[in-house]
Structures are given as C-alpha cells and as structure tokens.
C-alpha cells in the first residue's frame, strides 16, 4: 500500500480520508472534529434531561463506508479510527497525566520493599534500568500516538502492525492489570485512613472511596482529566517537597544529625547481591506502571499533534526527578535493614513507606501526617486511572471485534459506559478488605498480570519497529511523521533487550526466591502471566485459524487510516517548515525543546 503523489488511494485509504476529512467550520487539520461527536446532546433541554439523555447510545450517521469487501483486519482499523470517544482532554491535562499520572503506592510504599530486597544500590540500578526502558517505550509509543490517535492507542497498534492475536492477548492482560488494580487501590485507601482512625470498619472507607472514584468517571474523560490534573499536581508538589526536605535531613537538619552516605556503608549498598537487584525490577515495574496512560488518552485529546509530543517528553523529567532522585534520597535516609520496611510487601501499610520512615527518623513530627494525606491522594488517583485505563482498553478491544461488542457501547457524552460499569462492578471486590483471606485472593489475582507490564512494554517497542519497517517497505519516509522519537529505532531495540533481560531475571528470582530453595508456588504467583500469555495467543490463533500467517506483512500494513492530518503532502510541507524554523532557534531553545 505504498503512497505516491499521483497514485489513487486504495478503498481502505479512501474510506479513511472520507472519515477524517474536515467539514465546513471545523478547525485546522490537526484539530478537526474538536467539537466531538458527543456535544450535540448538550444543546437543548433542562440540565436533568441532558444528563439522562447523555447515557443514551450515540446515534452515528452513516459514514458511507462499505465494509462488505474488507478483511477482518481492515474492519478493525476502520473501527478503531472511527470510535467516537469524546475529544475533551486539553494540553494541560496531558501534561499532568504525563508527569504525575501513575505516581502511587508503587513509589510511596512499594519502593520500601524494593529497598529492603536490593539495598540502596540495587534500588538505584533497578530504577535506572527500568526508567531508561520506559523512556524507550514512551518515545516510541508517542511517535505512533501522534501519527494515529485512535481508540485504544497501543492496543489497536498491536492488532494493526503485528497481529490480531497480539492485540487480543496483550490488550486483555493490560485491561486485567487495571481491573485488579481498582479494588486493590480501594483497599489501600482504607488502610491509609487507618493511620489516623482504626475504630471505623475499613469496609466503610472502601465504600466512600468507591463512590468518589465511580462518580469522577461518570463525568467522562473531562472529569477524569480535571481530577488527574488536581491530584497529580498535589503528588508532584509533595515529591518535590520531600526531595528538598530529604536533602536537608541528609545534611544534618533534624534530630538524627548529619547522615551523609552512612547507610551506603553500614549496612551497605547492596542486599542479597545480584539476586537482590533482580528482585527490585518487579517493584520498579509496579512503580512505573501506568506510564503509558498518556498515549491511551490520544483518541480523547483535542490536538494530539501539538499536545502529545510535549506530554511524551515530560516523561523524561518524571523518570529523572520522581523516580531516580527519589531512589537516591531514600537510599541515603533509610537503611535497608529497617524492620519497618518489611511490611511493605503488602503495598498497603503506610508505616512501611520509606517516605514516612525517613521523615520520622529526622524527628519531624507533623510531616508524616502530611505525607499520609499525599499517599491517600495518590491512591485515589491510581484508582481513578484504573477505571479509565481498563474501560478504554475494553472498549477498544470490543470495537476491534476481539471481545463482545457490548463493551464498545458509547453514550452521547462519549463515555464507554458498559466498560466503565463492568470495571466498577469488579471494583466491588474491594469489600474483601473485611475478609481474612484478602491477601491470598489478591495475590493470585495479581499473578495473572504479574509480568504483563513487561510484555506490554516489549510489544510497544516491537510495534514501533514494525511501524518504521513498514514505512521503509512501502517506500515512505520520516518526512511525513509528525513526531519522531528522540531515541529512534535504537531506543526500541535497546528497550526490548533490557526488558527481556529483566523478565529472565524475574523468572530466575521467582523460581529460586531470596533466602529460600526452589519454590513452585512462588513461581506461579510471580510468573503465571507468562504461560497464560502463550496459551491465549495459541488459543486465539487456533480459534480464528490464522496459523498460516504469524504477522501482518509489512507491505500490507495500513499507514493512513486514523490520521487527523489528511493530506500527506501538506503535512510534509508543514513538518519541513517547522524543522527549518527550529534550525534558526538558539542552542538553549533547542536543548529545552529536546527535553520538553
């Protein structure tokens, strides 16, 4: 499906163009359809009637697209491009989602468990490796999302650029990871509250925060965006404040006197050697999880060509400041043999947070309460993101025909309402907080998606490479690519290598846990997602009888459907003009734009 200036587009390309073509009165090419499909119901009637009408199914007019002669793959591509999610996220929403969207219990509490396993050196190495891999992932994903801001983002790309079995399996595992995270975060909320009040049944607090999170998501993507903007701002300011306070405590402010590098010498920089470093990776994955949400929101962004590149580049600062610097400060402030860190294995006990332990050791009495409030905000934020991430992924899978179509139901406000309600239903598992067996239940739930984050990230890097290979195979160049990954193909290659080695290390540590002989139960708890991934791919390909081709041919990959920039030649000229203008800027501006 190569593109030439005077060549007639294929039927699929023509359909893509007819769908994306701006109508009279629409904005410029990068912002066509900004008003979204979902605004029509707001024009008349009382506020109550508009609210009720918003839940009705979206009435799409016939777009004149004939799908009778299309393959299943072509129908999937068209469907994900046409999916009418509301485009209401602004640049400021994406900025804060990118900077602080997934900062939660993984960083505030789980980092303590990682510190206990690997020591300060192991914690730093683990965060550095996973952090670099995340930059590779998000840069490659950003390049794809700016070019194709379609429903489901990377999940749709798996189907489009690799194979439908990849899209089905990895999309379902990704949705499951958010699905399990929602009730878990509700339990974490109730445990965090108990830092102040232990007299109230924790199930009461689960009910309170369940209502809060569900209500936010009933306001659609705009409600999610506004909530994340505020919550992420609080988290970002809290982490920056902790870093400043942490430096002061290290230098001698507080009751502990000058600390310096004391804990790097006694008890030491590493715990449990290389195996301890490998054990940090799973905690790091938990901390970095959700970093890809900024790309998942691409289809609901007003102008992805302008806002997504900047949001993508913000991830560099998020990785550097909020993970790497935090790991360094924590390593200086808390010895890895502190017994309070051992409680961090539950990722719910606030007293196990190295942030709180560091402040308590410094003799600052008020800040632990403030830190606890920040952790509560972070947990609510991740719970909110869990509903958003799961519902959008399920809706994308449905519109691609990979799961029952009912999950693709979109109401007039642009909300995937059935997917949201299903996610909310599973969230009721949070009431297991009243059960004595909650730890066992959630351990096996999480085992289903234990390594799925790594598989998703590896697949994103591979999909980015497939996109680049397809461009070359069809005689097209990067001149038409609106945003180019600063790390290019090298980033995706190195990302795949590092993440694959991390998975091997995790399997090793799971089979032979630290301080214990080989343990089959421990392996299944940590690595159940690996055989599940293989089984799901085999089952899907067998059911649909697609063993005759393992991947979509590079020459057959559709490189046009879903783009909001219609005319490729006009886009090339715009990009060339922008590059020429950029060359004339001073060096400090170029450095700033590289990172921001």
């Amino acid at each position: 499906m190569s593109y030439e200036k005077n060549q007639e587009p294929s039927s699929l390309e023509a359909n893509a163009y007819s769908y994306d073509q701006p109508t009279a009165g629409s904005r410029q090419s990068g912002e066509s359809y900004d008003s979204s499909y979902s605004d029509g119901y707001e024009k008349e009637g009382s506020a109550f009637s508009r609210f009720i009408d918003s839940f009705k199914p979206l009435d799409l007019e016939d777009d004149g697209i004939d799908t009778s002669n299309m393959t299943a793959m072509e129908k999937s591509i068209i469907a994900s491009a046409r999916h009418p999610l509301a485009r209401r996220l602004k640049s400021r929403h994406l900025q804060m989602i990118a900077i602080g969207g997934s900062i939660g219990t993984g960083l505030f509490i789980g980092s303590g468990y990682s510190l206990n396993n690997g020591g300060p050196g192991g914690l730093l190495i683990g965060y550095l490796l996973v952090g670099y891999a995340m930059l590779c992932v998000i840069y490659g994903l950003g390049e794809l999302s700016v070019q194709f801001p379609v429903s489901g983002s990377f999940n749709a790309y798996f189907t489009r650029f690799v194979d439908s079995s990849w899209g089905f399996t990895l999309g379902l595992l990704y949705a499951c990871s958010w699905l399990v995270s929602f009730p878990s975060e509700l339990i974490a909320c109730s445990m965090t509250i108990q830092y102040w009040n232990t007299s109230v049944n924790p199930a009461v607090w689960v009910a309170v925060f369940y209502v809060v999170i569900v209500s936010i998501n009933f306001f659609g993507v705009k409600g999610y965006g506004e909530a994340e903007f505020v919550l992420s701002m609080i988290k970002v300011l809290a982490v920056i404040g902790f870093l400043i306070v942490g430096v002061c405590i290290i230098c001698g402010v507080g009751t502990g006197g000058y600390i310096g590098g004391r804990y790097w010498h006694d008890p030491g920089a590493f715990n449990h050697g290389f195996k301890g470093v490998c054990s940090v990776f799973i905690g790091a994955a938990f901390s970095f999880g959700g970093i890809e949400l900024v790309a998942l929101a691409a289809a609901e962004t007003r102008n992805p060509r302008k806002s997504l590149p900047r949001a993508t580049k913000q991830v560099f600062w998020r990785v550097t400041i909020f993970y790497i610097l935090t790991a360094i400060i924590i390593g200086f402030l808390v010895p890895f043999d502190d017994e309070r860190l051992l409680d961090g294995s539950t990722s719910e006990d606030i007293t196990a947070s190295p942030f709180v332990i560091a402040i308590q050791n410094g003799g600052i009495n008020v800040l632990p309460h403030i830190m606890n409030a920040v952790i509560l905000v972070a947990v609510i934020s991740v719970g909110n993101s869990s509903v958003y991430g799961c519902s959008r992924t399920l809706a994308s899978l449905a519109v691609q025909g990979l799961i029952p179509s009912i999950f693709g139901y979109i109401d007039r406000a642009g909300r995937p309402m059935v997917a949201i309600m299903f996610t909310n239903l599973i969230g009721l598992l949070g009431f297991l907080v009243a059960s004595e067996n909650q730890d066992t239940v959630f351990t096996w739930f999480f085992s289903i998606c234990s390594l799925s984050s790594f598989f998703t990230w590896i697949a994103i890097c591979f999909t980015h490479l497939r996109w680049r290979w397809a461009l070359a195979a069809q005689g097209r160049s990067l001149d038409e690519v609106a945003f180019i990954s600063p790390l290019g193909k090298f980033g995706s290659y190195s990302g795949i290598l590092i993440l694959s080695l991390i998975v091997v290390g995790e399997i090793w540590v799971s089979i032979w846990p630290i301080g214990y002989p080989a343990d089959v139960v421990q392996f299944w708890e940590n690595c159940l997602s690996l055989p599940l991934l293989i089984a799901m791919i085999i089952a899907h390909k067998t059911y649909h009888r697609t063993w005759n081709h393992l991947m979509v041919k590079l020459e057959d990959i559709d490189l046009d459907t879903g783009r909001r920039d219609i005319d490729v030649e006009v886009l090339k000229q715009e990009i060339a003009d922008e590059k020429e203008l950029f060359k004339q800027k001073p060096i400090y501006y170029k450095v700033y734009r590289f990172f921001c």
Side-chain angles (χ1 to χ4, degrees), residues 172-196:
L172 207 55
L173 284 177
Y174 184 75
C176 284
S177 66
W178 283 121
L179 200 61
V180 175
S181 175
F182 183 29
S184 177
E185 296 301 327
L186 291 173
I187 293 176
C189 284
S190 66
M191 296 294 102
T192 305
I193 285 289
Q194 288 188 328
Y195 180 79
W196 294 304

Side-chain angles (χ1 to χ4, degrees), residues 4 12 22 60 91 98 104 113 123 166 201 268 319 353 515-516 587 589:
E4 296 178 8
L12 182 58
L60 283 176
S91 181
Y113 187 59
L123 178 67
W166 276 58
N201 191 311
V319 169
S353 170
Y516 297 95
I587 185 65
Y589 179 83

